[in-house]
Amino acid sequence: MNQEPTRSQTTVWVIDDDETALLLADDALSHAGFQVQTYTDAPSALAAAQTKLPDIIVLDVIMPGMNGFEFCTALRCLPRGAVVPILVTTSLDDTAAIDQAYAAGATNFAIKPLNWAIEIYRLDYMLRSAKIALDLLEKEHETRLAKEDWERTFDSISDVVTVLGADLKILRANQVAQTVFNRAPKAIVGRLCHELFNPGGGACPDCPVPRVLATGQPAAAEIKSGPAGGLFEITVSPVASSQGQITHFVHVARDLSEKKELEAELRQAQKMEAIGTLAGGIAHDFNNLMMVVQGCAELLLAEAAAAGRNREDLDAILEAAKRGARLTKQLLIFGRKQSNFSQRRPLDLNSLLRKTLQMVEKGLSKSISHQFRLGTGLHLINADSIQLEQVVMNLAVNAAHAMPVAGTLTYQTQNIHVEAAASHSPPGLDSGDYVLLTVSDTGCGMDEATLAHIYEPFFTTRNVGDGSGLGLAVVFGIVREHKGHISCYSEVGVGTTFRIYLPAIRQPAGESQPTAAKPPAMARGSETILIADDEASIRGLLERFLTRQGYTVITAADGEVALRRYSEATPRPQAVILDLGMPNMSGWECVAQLRQLDPHVKVLLASGYGLADLESRAVQAGASGFVGKPYNLAQISSKLREILDAPQ
Ligand SMILES: Nc1ncnc2c1ncn2[C@@H]1O[C@H](COP(=O)(O)OP(=O)(O)OP(=O)(O)O)[C@@H](O)[C@H]1O
Ligand SMILES: [Mg+2]
């Protein structure tokens, strides 16, 4: 509370048209120590009050121009005019005048002639009362501000916060509680807590309150709440009286759904990463095996043809080896080690879709209707058209399997802008423009357990022999390689929707179709070739093949031996076929050292880890060419010829 002002700090206005009365008042009040200001008419006092108010007013009633009642009424309307105490003085002693004065806002009333020795006490008393009233008003104002502040804070908490009484009935609920439960405060306050979180079901299972009561300490639990549709982490903290009695509980419910979703996504990403590594590793080894089987079969076939022998069995071996190679190629794509590294170009997804689906439609049941909702002005994407065709085909074939009798398959494309920070954005995508491809079917749909595994290689629900379970694994791998995102929404008996986001580019359309590869030819030559590969079977195969094609072949099982053979050989080999992943010395190191020996050396680098940028890295490292494994004999012979025939 403020210090009481002394009389010398207190301003008294005396308003009276009677000069004598004014003089007497001025004299008495000044002697008593007050600061006195006199006015002979009410309007000039009212004008002065607009700029500054006195601490107290002594007011005559009957005055020309404006009487005391009117002055009172007008003053009370001024800002802070309501709190100035007014002593109305008049010689009128009828009670009607007193009533009228109070009605106009007077604080006190005195009858003239005034005995100032007494009236000064009255003024002191009025000032003290006014001070107390003012202090109360200020306190009330502060309390209101504090309450508003507290409510704003309470309402800005993003968790559901309720205050419970000892009987577990809700006393207060914050704004979020009203939003989450979609109820007005009236429909929340007074309810038992579990009526909100577990309506019709009694206390929530694992409710923390009994533990709080037993220990006097805060306790937490996770509960599933039906109406709010979420998983909540509940923390209940006790509020105790000064005697230590629990009088309230603060009940905080944090929505865990989003966190759980993120955790699940992370787990899924980690799982796919691990499976990818595993599949990629196995596929890499398989790749080499398949190459050998395929190559040997090709050699035998050539010999069989020359000798006019039956080639049926060899054809079968070759066909099986090719299928094996296709399978491992898909695993390599999934495991991010695709051997036919991407041929990315600016591409219009709409035209790719039309072209692919012409092919696909023919192969699918006639009872499926295909609908296209292709967006106009679609951004280009930087993509490998063959891989994207594979994506579209795999999705379409899966959808067709899900609709054995009849159904609708809808393909939709649209431009979409992704804000990475937005909560609804697909996880893992940078902000920017994307093209969204949506493929929906009205098929059998999938349950949650199936959905959780669809991208895993070899996961299939189809009969043994019908599906390899690689379709979506490949789609997943391709989308990820294109820095995109795939999501799937499915409902049993309703259908399935796949959404694929692919980053847009802002380049003008180039030729969007890949140029058709020339049919491979078994090129021949007479040069000396050094083959460096740690896989004996591949080395042997290449040696037999190239010798048959007329070349002289030197072999080496690792980089160090390769260097030695290269420097010792006379004449020097005209080309080296070098495997990147050899023990002792890396392929890169070996290229560097070969170039030191001979700056004009021609190296054809080979690798099963055909990452997208490997070809350009090979050229940067000084190699003349790159070939991804598995290669067939026609490919390797034409590549070899290409670099041998190229100018130095
Ligand atoms: N559109 C869909 N509707 C319902 N289930 C689907 C759909 N797409 C995929 N699935 C489910 O996901 C599983 C995996 O699909 P994926 O394409 O990877 O393998 P697959 O079709 O079984 O075999 P593959 O594609 O190798 O021939 C399928 O067996 C099926 O259970
Ligand atoms: Mg499939």
Side-chain angles (χ1 to χ4, degrees), residues 20 48 56 75 127 190 209 224 234 257 270 292 326 329 405 516:
T20 318
I56 190 163
L75 188 93
L127 281 163
V209 172
K224 242 194 161 117
I234 306 276
S257 320
Q270 284 169 340
V292 175
R326 273 201 298 277
K329 199 171 87 182
V405 183

Side-chain angles (χ1 to χ4, degrees), residues 188-204:
I188 297 182
V189 171
R191 307 264 166 173
L192 281 164
C193 163
H194 64 68
E195 288 180 55
L196 283 191
F197 285 93
N198 194 24
C204 297

Side-chain angles (χ1 to χ4, degrees), residues 394 398 462 471:
N394 285 350
N398 281 351
R462 291 162 60 192

Side-chain angles (χ1 to χ4, degrees), residues 404-583:
V405 183
T408 306
L409 187 45
T410 309
Y411 313 89
Q412 191 178 350
T413 55
Q414 70 196 89
N415 291 332
I416 192 159
H417 184 78
V418 168
E419 274 308 326
S423 61
H424 58 270
S425 292
L429 289 187
D430 294 334
S431 295
D433 288 324
Y434 287 79
V435 171
L436 173 60
L437 165 67
T438 311
V439 179
S440 316
D441 64 58
T442 54
C444 59
M446 288 172 263
D447 57 18
E448 268 186 44
T450 306
L451 257 179
H453 298 288
I454 52 173
Y455 302 117
E456 291 168 18
F458 304 116
F459 174 81
T460 179
T461 55
R462 291 162 60 192
N463 292 334
V464 180
D466 282 352
S468 62
L470 278 175
L472 288 179
V474 166
V475 169
F476 183 89
I478 293 175
V479 171
R480 186 184 47 198
E481 279 304 292
H482 282 79
K483 306 229 175 328
H485 176 82
I486 182 166
S487 68
C488 177
Y489 178 77
S490 191
E491 271 184 53
V492 175
V494 179
T496 303
T497 297
F498 281 92
R499 284 193 182 80
I500 294 179
Y501 295 77
L502 295 164
I505 46 168
R506 293 217 168 266
Q507 282 170 24
E511 7 72 276
S512 58
Q513 308 308 326
T515 43
K518 268 194 258 151
M522 291 287 200
R524 299 179 61 84
S526 57
E527 291 89 342
T528 303
I529 312 296
L530 170 61
I531 299 166
D533 198 311
D534 58 321
E535 281 278 335
S537 50
I538 291 185
R539 227 167 41 233
L541 169 67
L542 277 180
E543 184 177 10
R544 280 172 59 202
F545 169 65
L546 291 179
T547 309
R548 206 193 65 184
Q549 297 306 99
Y551 296 96
T552 305
V553 176
I554 306 172
T555 60
D558 64 38
E560 282 168 13
V561 178
L563 284 173
R564 211 168 47 239
R565 297 265 151 89
Y566 188 85
S567 52
E568 285 167 4
T570 39
R572 282 217 164 140
Q574 277 92 342
V576 184
I577 301 175
L578 184 69
D579 183 46
L580 252 186
M582 286 187 296

Side-chain angles (χ1 to χ4, degrees), residues 3-14 25-26 28-38 52-58 83-86 116 119-131 134:
Q3 198 72 35
E4 256 183 50
T6 58
R7 283 184 185 165
S8 63
Q9 294 168 317
T10 306
T11 318
V12 186
W13 284 3
V14 185
D26 191 2
L29 292 171
S30 301
H31 263 96
F34 291 105
Q35 299 283 328
V36 186
Q37 176 75 49
T38 56
K52 187 154 174 27
L53 285 165
D55 297 301
I56 190 163
I57 296 171
V58 179
V83 294
V84 180
I86 301 174
W116 276 111
E119 291 309 327
I120 279 167
Y121 284 102
R122 194 199 296 269
L123 290 191
D124 279 341
Y125 166 77
M126 284 171 66
L127 281 163
R128 267 201 305 277
S129 304
K131 172 87 177 51
L134 201 65

Side-chain angles (χ1 to χ4, degrees), residues 150 154 157 159-166 168-174 193 197 207-209 212 217-221 233-240 246-254:
W150 186 84
F154 189 57
I157 301 173
D159 298 328
V160 174
V161 185
T162 45
V163 178
L164 313 179
L168 299 187
K169 285 196 173 150
I170 297 169
L171 301 172
R172 271 181 179 285
N174 70 347
C193 163
F197 285 93
C207 168
V209 172
V212 178
Q217 297 297 316
E233 180 187 57
I234 306 276
T235 310
V236 177
S237 308
V239 181
I246 294 178
T247 54
H248 297 79
F249 299 95
V250 178
H251 184 286
V252 181
R254 171 162 296 177

